[in-house]
Amino acid sequence: MDTETAAVTGHDVTTITCVCGNTVGDDGLIQANSEGVPIQAGADVPAGLASWPDDGELFTLCPSCGRVYRDSVVEETGTAPVAFRVDVATGPIAEAIRLHWDLSAGSDRS
Ligand SMILES: [Zn+2]
């Protein structure tokens, strides 16, 4: 199976242009855990979102198409292969994405 790879500049996950064409400046990109669930930093994590992973292993979720990139791979290699895909149309991750945008409204971080 061919691995899809997103365009990225300078080993920086915030510069990813997803395979679907989405960027931080379009629909945004969301920090997620190893299951693709958006992460909420801090101690107060609402139901539906994931807490910051203990191992610090972060992923970047494209909320447009559900492709997920592994941050450590991007930072080490400067390439952004798709790690896995999640369902962003329905289900718990779709709900979590809505929640994420509600919480981050007014913030400029992804
Ligand atoms: Zn995408």
Side-chain angles (χ1 to χ4, degrees), residues 2-110:
D2 288 342
T3 301
E4 296 175 302
T5 304
V8 63
T9 309
H11 300 236
D12 181 352
V13 295
T14 65
T15 68
I16 286 174
T17 299
C18 184
V19 174
C20 75
N22 179 37
T23 68
V24 165
D26 291 323
D27 288 340
L29 299 166
I30 301 175
Q31 281 187 313
N33 69 7
S34 58
E35 290 167 349
V37 181
I39 289 169
Q40 177 70 23
D44 232 2
V45 179
L49 294 181
S51 56
W52 205 263
D54 291 336
D55 58 7
E57 190 69 67
L58 299 178
F59 291 75
T60 294
L61 165 67
C62 171
S64 296
C65 67
R67 286 178 177 87
V68 182
Y69 305 91
R70 189 176 192 131
D71 286 16
S72 61
V73 171
V74 175
E75 285 157 8
E76 280 164 28
T77 67
T79 64
V82 177
F84 59 94
R85 283 188 78 160
V86 296
D87 187 351
V88 291
T90 58
I93 292 178
E95 286 299 317
I97 289 170
R98 256 193 295 281
L99 208 52
H100 169 85
W101 292 132
D102 281 352
L103 291 170
S104 63
S107 153
D108 61 1
R109 171 64 182 118
S110 59

